[in-house]
Every structure is written in C-alpha cells, then in structure tokens.
Amino acid sequence: MNKDIKGLCLFLGMIGLAYAAILVLTMLFTGVKILKSIVFISAFSSFLVSLGLTPQVKQRLMQVLKQKTAFYK
C-alpha cells in the first residue's frame, strides 16, 4: 500500500478514535444512549489504524503487549 494512503488511514483512524472518546465523555455527562454509535465508530477507526500500520510496527506492538500481559500474570 502507498505510504500516503497509510498515513491517511492512520490520520483518519486517530481522528475517529478521538471522536469516539468525546462521545464517551458526552454519554457519561449527559446520559445519552449512543453506545452503538460509539462501538461502530471505534471499531471502524481501529480498523483504519491497523490498515495504516506497517507489519514491523504491528509485530513490535504485539511483542510489547505480550510482555505487558506476562508481567501482570
């Protein structure tokens, strides 16, 4: 995949995750029932972020997560 497209996917994914965080805060303070929207937006944004990452970065993230989970066991 082209580096520009990967960068665009990362950018849009991070904006989407930030928007989902704002929606969570809105839901907590107002009590509005928007849970389905938050789940959809965060899932789609996470997909975009994973598209934008290179395989080396994905592998490094998985190693770090495995180390962190082994530390807590």
Side-chain angles (χ1 to χ4, degrees):
M1 192 183 306
N2 191 358
K3 286 187 178 184
D4 293 333
I5 294 174
K6 284 186 177 187
L8 183 65
C9 286
L10 279 173
F11 178 71
L12 291 175
M14 294 307 288
I15 287 177
L17 290 174
Y19 180 64
I22 291 170
L23 285 178
V24 167
L25 290 174
T26 303
M27 185 179 78
L28 289 175
F29 288 126
T30 63
V32 178
K33 308 268 192 238
I34 51 176
L35 187 62
K36 290 180 187 176
S37 299
I38 293 170
V39 169
F40 176 75
I41 291 169
S42 60
F44 185 68
S45 298
S46 298
F47 171 71
L48 285 175
V49 168
S50 70
L51 268 180
L53 295 177
T54 62
Q56 294 87 8
V57 174
K58 287 180 188 178
Q59 184 181 15
R60 200 173 319 139
L61 285 173
M62 290 304 293
Q63 287 176 352
V64 169
L65 287 174
K66 287 179 184 177
Q67 289 174 353
K68 296 288 183 183
T69 55
F71 177 73
Y72 290 116
K73 286 183 179 181

